[in-house]
Amino acid sequence: MSTAAMTEAGKKPLDLAWVREQFPSLKLEVNGHPAAFLDAPAGTQVSKRVMDAMRDYLLNANANTCGAFLTSQRTDAIIAEAREAMGDFLNCNAEEISFGQNMTTITFALARAIGREMKAGDEIVVTTLDHDANVAPWRALEEKGVVIRQVDIHEEDCTLDIEDLKRKITEKTRLVAVGYASNLAGTINPVGEITKLAQAAGALMFIDAVHYAPHGAIDVKALDCDFLACSPYKFFGPHMGTLYGKKEHLLRFRPYKVRPAPDTLPDRWETGTQVQEGIAGIGTAVEYFAELGRRCDPTAKTRREAILAAYRATHEHEMEMLEELIAGLLEVPGLTFYGIRDVKRFGERCSTVSVRLAKGTPTDAARFLGERGIFSWDGNFYALNLTERLGVQDKGGVLRIGLVHYNTRDEVRRLLAALREFAR
Ligand SMILES: Cc1ncc(COP(=O)(O)O)c(C=O)c1O
C-alpha cells in the first residue's frame, strides 16, 4: 500500500524515529561510524521491552513450572501469555504453539517423530532454495529408506521451479518441506499454492518461516499448512524457536519424550525445561509488534489486527529501501546479483539481497564494510543447496545484505557508497 493510500484510510506510515528508540543497541559506534545493522537475516536486534521482560522474569518469576507457589505460578502465567501472543502472531490456537531451542532442533525432533511412521520407499520433497535446517532433518530419514526428492530452482532469478516441484510430488510423497522465504536470495515462495499441491497428493506440508517472519504476516489458518516453524530471534525476540502444528497432528504423532512429562498439548512437544526467560521475551516481542501496529492504525481492535497493521507499515518501508538498494547495487562495477531485481516483482521477494563482486571475496567485502560500521554477512548462511547450485560454494559464497524495519535509507546509501569504494 502506498503512503497516500494508508493516510487516506486514516492509517499512518512507520514512525522510524520511534522504532529506532525502541532498540538501544542501534546506537553502537564502530571506528567513529554509527553502526548500520544490515545483518538481520542472521538475527535481529532486540527491543528494550524484550530485554526488560527477560530481566523481570529472572528477577520476579524465576522458577520451574506448575508449582504451588508464587514464582512458579507467575512462570506459568508468563508462558501461557507468550503462547497466546504467538497464537495471535501466527493466527492459531495457543495450544498449537510449542517452544524450543531453535528451529533446527525443533525440526530434527519433529522429523524423528514423523519419520517413525514412515517406511522405506516413502518420499519427502525438499528444495534447492532452502536453509539446511529444512533439508538435513528430513535427509536424516534416508537412514530408514525414505527417499528425498529435491526441487530445482530457476537460476536466473532464484525462484523455485514449480513445474519441477509438481513432478517431484508423487503418490509416494508423505511430506513436502519448503521455506516461506529464502535467507540468501530473499525469494518468497508460493507456500499457499504448494500446500494445496501437497494436500492433493495426501502429503503433509512443513513450512520453514524463519526468514519470512520479520518481513510479512503469517496466517497458518489461511495457508492451511500442517506445520510451520520460526525463530523469534529473527523477529526482534530472544534466541529461541517456535513450532506451529495442527492440533490433530500434535496429538497423533508421537514425539520422543520422557514418561513423567504430560502427554497433553503443548507439553508433549516441549522436552525438558525451557528457556523461560526467553519465552517471556517472545511474548513481549509479539507485543512490540502489536504496539507498533496500534501506532500505525489506532482503529486496530485485536492484537492480531494490530500485528497486521504493523506489517503493512514495515513492509512499505522495507520495499522503499529495497528499491533504492537494488538500483544502487546494479550500478556497482563488476557486481553479480542473485535473485529477483525487477521492482514490478517485489511482491515475490523480501528485503534480503545477495551479491558477489568481481574484486575480492565476500569475506573481504564484509570486512571492508565492517571496518566502516556496516554489518553484513558473507558465506553460505547454511543455504548450502543454493550456494552449490549457484556455483559459489567453493568461492566464499556471497555477500548478504538484509534490511528490516529499523534500518534507514541513509544506511542503504552508506552501504552503496562503501561498496562503490571497495569495487574501485
Ligand atoms: C531460512 C532459515 N531457516 C532455518 C534457520 C535455522 O534457524 P535456527 O537458528 O532457529 O535453528 C535459519 C537461520 O539462519 C534460516 O535463515
Side-chain angles (χ1 to χ4, degrees):
M1 196 188 288
S2 71
T3 309
M6 290 184 78
T7 316
E8 255 170 52
K11 293 168 189 167
K12 299 178 202 147
L14 193 73
D15 180 349
L16 191 53
W18 180 84
V19 165
R20 290 185 65 86
E21 268 167 35
Q22 308 310 303
F23 292 89
S25 56
L26 298 180
K27 295 194 172 67
L28 185 71
E29 293 200 350
V30 182
N31 301 332
H33 305 280
F37 288 82
L38 307 183
D39 61 332
T44 46
Q45 297 307 299
V46 171
S47 67
K48 169 133 185 349
R49 78 188 61 201
V50 168
M51 299 176 199
D52 289 346
M54 294 175 73
R55 181 181 173 279
D56 283 355
Y57 173 80
L58 292 170
L59 194 62
N60 298 313
N62 190 16
N64 218 319
T65 55
C66 301
F69 56 96
L70 182 69
T71 47
S72 181
Q73 287 155 353
R74 283 181 176 164
T75 293
D76 291 340
I78 287 168
I79 294 176
E81 164 49 23
R83 227 182 279 286
E84 289 288 338
M86 274 308 296
D88 290 343
F89 190 70
L90 300 178
N91 199 25
C92 62
N93 294 327
E95 63 181 352
E96 294 175 307
I97 296 288
S98 54
F99 297 111
Q101 193 178 341
N102 48 51
M103 179 274 180
T104 307
T105 308
I106 285 172
T107 308
F108 268 109
L110 181 70
R112 272 185 93 203
I114 295 178
R116 75 200 296 195
E117 300 191 9
M118 288 190 183
K119 56 182 189 321
D122 284 349
E123 294 180 2
I124 294 179
V125 174
V126 300
T127 90
T128 301
L129 208 51
D130 270 77
H131 186 288
D132 212 49
N134 199 20
V135 179
W138 310 113
R139 272 198 185 280
L141 300 176
E142 284 178 319
E143 283 171 8
K144 54 183 296 179
V146 169
V147 176
I148 302 296
R149 296 175 51 100
Q150 188 172 313
V151 178
D152 200 7
I153 56 158
H154 299 292
E155 195 178 337
E156 66 281 7
D157 60 2
C158 292
T159 55
L160 272 188
D161 181 342
I162 300 295
E163 291 312 310
D164 190 43
L165 182 129
K166 287 179 184 164
R167 281 192 295 275
K168 298 265 159 74
I169 296 179
T170 71
E171 72 284 356
K172 291 187 189 155
T173 308
R174 297 288 164 261
L175 183 134
V176 178
V178 177
Y180 208 140
S182 159
N183 68 324
L184 187 146
T187 319
I188 296 173
N189 294 317
V191 284
E193 187 191 324
I194 298 171
T195 301
K196 289 197 181 76
L197 293 170
Q199 281 169 350
L204 295 168
M205 177 73 178
F206 175 91
I207 300 177
D208 168 7
V210 172
H211 193 68
Y212 186 73
H215 301 292
I218 298 168
D219 186 336
V220 290
K221 287 280 178 295
L223 291 171
D224 200 27
C225 57
D226 298 287
F227 299 98
L228 180 143
C230 56
S231 304
Y233 76 92
K234 310 276 191 180
F235 56 89
F236 319 104
H239 287 103
M240 287 194 70
T242 61
L243 174 71
Y244 156 80
K246 277 184 181 164
K247 184 175 175 181
E248 66 202 79
H249 299 319
L250 295 180
L251 287 171
R252 199 183 70 67
F253 286 108
R254 290 175 304 126
Y256 289 85
K257 63 182 276 295
V258 293
R259 289 172 302 159
D263 215 13
T264 47
L265 291 185
D267 308 67
R268 65 198 302 259
W269 291 91
E270 291 179 348
T271 40
T273 303
Q274 297 290 309
V275 183
Q276 286 153 187
E277 60 275 29
I279 296 177
I282 294 176
T284 314
V286 174
E287 253 315 310
Y288 159 75
F289 248 87
E291 187 178 344
L292 180 61
R294 286 183 208 108
R295 293 176 67 88
C296 298
D297 179 5
T299 67
K301 287 190 192 62
T302 62
R303 180 158 56 192
R304 176 74 187 165
E305 282 176 12
I307 290 165
L308 297 180
Y311 275 115
R312 277 195 294 273
T314 59
H315 181 255
E316 182 180 22
H317 174 55
E318 286 178 9
M319 289 299 112
E320 281 172 6
M321 290 188 292
L322 181 67
E323 192 173 342
E324 185 162 352
L325 173 66
I326 294 183
L329 286 173
L330 295 177
E331 284 175 8
V332 174
L335 181 137
T336 306
F337 186 92
Y338 299 94
I340 295 168
R341 55 179 73 189
D342 181 355
V343 70
K344 292 199 253 354
R345 293 182 59 202
F346 274 14
E348 295 171 64
R349 66 161 304 134
C350 60
S351 48
T352 298
V353 303
S354 285
V355 299
R356 278 182 63 88
L357 293 137
K359 186 175 158 193
T361 63
T363 309
D364 294 334
R367 199 170 290 133
F368 182 87
L369 295 173
E371 282 159 6
R372 286 152 184 77
I374 301 167
F375 303 168
S376 64
W377 277 102
D378 62 283
N380 65 21
F381 330 118
Y382 288 16
L384 183 62
N385 286 341
L386 186 54
T387 48
E388 285 177 348
R389 176 68 173 78
L390 296 173
V392 297
Q393 177 54 27
D394 55 0
K395 297 180 191 152
V398 293
L399 177 74
R400 179 178 68 181
I401 297 128
L403 302 172
V404 289
H405 75 291
Y406 55 59
N407 292 121
T408 69
R409 294 181 81 144
D410 184 52
E411 290 173 339
V412 170
R413 287 169 197 157
R414 275 180 58 206
L415 167 84
L416 291 170
L419 280 181
R420 282 193 296 267
E421 192 186 334
F422 177 78
R424 268 209 296 269

